[in-house]
Amino acid sequence: MTITRAERRLRSERRILDAARALFADRGFERTTIRAVAAAAGVDPALVMQYFGSKQELFSRAVQAVPTKEGEPGEARDLAGRMLETLGMKLGGLSPASLAMLRSMLTHPEAADAARTALGGQIDRVGAELPGDDARLRAALATSVLLGVTVGHQLLGLDPLRDAPREEIDRLLRPALLALLGERE
Amino acid sequence: MTITRAERRLRSERRILDAARALFADRGFERTTIRAVAAAAGVDPALVMQYFGSKQELFSRAVQAVPTKEGEPGEARDLAGRMLETLGMKLGGLSPASLAMLRSMLTHPEAADAARTALGGQIDRVGAELPGDDARLRAALATSVLLGVTVGHQLLGLDPLRDAPREEIDRLLRPALLALLGERE
DNA sequence: CAAATCGCTCAACGATTGTTGAGTGTACGG
DNA sequence: CCGTACACTCAACAATCGTTGAGCGATTTG
């Protein structure tokens, strides 16, 4: 029942990271102040600096995705289904870390780099499974399509998307994705 | 050859607006400082305030789209073609005003409102031309699809999209759009 | 031609921000 | 049980930001 010192530290660090993720996710990098993160974590602003060194470093740490365990429940077999899962169009939605990155990707250079890297990885992975010499372009378009729906749904909150059940979105999106990926499968 | 006083004022106002649009478009609202806008326009920061009242008001004015003349050259007849044109996937790309709005839409509340309004209008317009009771959802998805490609292409600069000629993107995107809009036409 | 008007600049204020260094109290190791 | 180490706070600094009010000089007006 006694809480060791190292444990206290880890606990504080996690509370700060959680608060930072939440704030970064719904206000973006610039509008999120270290003081606000500290307040939300019930901690002094100086402690945040002491643990993470700078606001930028805090952001980087907050955005680092918790390693997704391979072979999750819904595990889809076809490429389109896997893509729909990856970008959170199914199941419970995106992680706070991903949302934080997406929220700032248009206005914060480091977030843009992270987004380019993440999306680039997805593009390469999908492109490798497609035939033809426009495979990469098709993959990039398919990834951008899901990015757009995610942005419209999770970040902008477009009414028709917010109101629609996720399976309905999935159902309408799948044929479009298949058309993009080359009509095969 | 003499420049009247009113003319000088209009000229300065336009230079400020142009500079503001350019800076808002590539750094977003928060990272764009009034001092930077003034410097780019060759003017004192106080003048910007005097003309526009506040940074927010400057942003609103800078984002106001120049009224698009109806019936432009490329004038496409089918719905998919018109959508592709509207979101700048064809021709010369988006206006600086639109880019400025899109750049800030995830992090600046007023820009988000503007984006929701603009995209909502497009959704209504497209949805009105579709049959079925999921018309609005289909329209919202189609609009989000183009939003995603625009974001990936113009704002994030994803390599495969940057390198591809616009007609190629158009060619690959059209079947996907048609699949989303209901397979008709 | 005198006076009012107007485009425009200068200098500064107040608030907020990220960041820092000194200090405090308590768990820890010997 | 004592001294060290460490989690944590307090107070402040320096820079930057949006914003303001006074003032200058040229142009317009009567």
Side-chain angles (χ1 to χ4, degrees), chain A residues 9-96:
Chain A
R9 177 188 174 127
L10 284 180
R11 232 179 273 256
S12 293
E13 200 169 307
R14 183 194 291 275
R15 285 222 319 281
I16 293 173
L17 272 177
D18 286 344
R21 260 189 283 261
L23 287 174
F24 282 140
D26 88 25
R27 306 183 200 179
F29 183 83
E30 313 287 347
R31 292 186 111 87
T32 297
T33 142
I34 287 200
R35 282 170 168 85
V37 170
V43 150
D44 190 271
L47 192 65
V48 178
M49 294 303 298
Q50 193 173 129
Y51 284 176
F52 298 94
S54 71
K55 183 184 177 184
Q56 169 55 44
E57 196 59 34
L58 171 65
F59 180 78
S60 299
R61 290 281 308 275
V63 154
Q64 272 167 20
V66 278
T68 44
K69 321 148 208 157
E70 305 282 338
E72 280 284 319
E75 169 131 42
R77 268 288 152 246
D78 62 313
L79 182 52
R82 268 179 291 144
M83 290 192 68
L84 285 166
E85 278 181 3
T86 299
L87 270 173
M89 206 47 53
K90 286 171 153 186
L91 304 169
L94 293 172
S95 68

Side-chain angles (χ1 to χ4, degrees), chain A residues 30-31 102-103 106-108 116 119 136-138 140-141 144-145 148 156 160-161 164 168 171-172 176 180, chain B residues 30-31 102-103 106-109 116 119 136-138 140-141 144-145 148 156 160-161 164 168 172 176 180:
Chain A
E30 313 287 347
R31 292 186 111 87
L102 291 174
R103 174 71 73 187
L106 300 185
T107 42
H108 185 50
R116 267 187 291 264
L119 296 173
R136 247 181 96 74
L137 180 54
R138 294 185 115 97
L141 285 172
S144 299
V145 159
L156 278 179
L161 297 184
E168 185 75 0
R171 185 178 66 80
L172 291 177
L180 251 180
Chain B
E30 314 286 348
R31 292 186 112 88
L102 291 174
R103 176 70 73 187
L106 299 185
T107 42
H108 186 50
R116 268 186 291 263
L119 295 174
R136 246 180 96 75
L137 180 54
R138 293 184 116 97
L141 285 172
S144 299
V145 160
L156 278 179
L161 297 184
E168 186 74 1
L172 291 176
L180 251 181

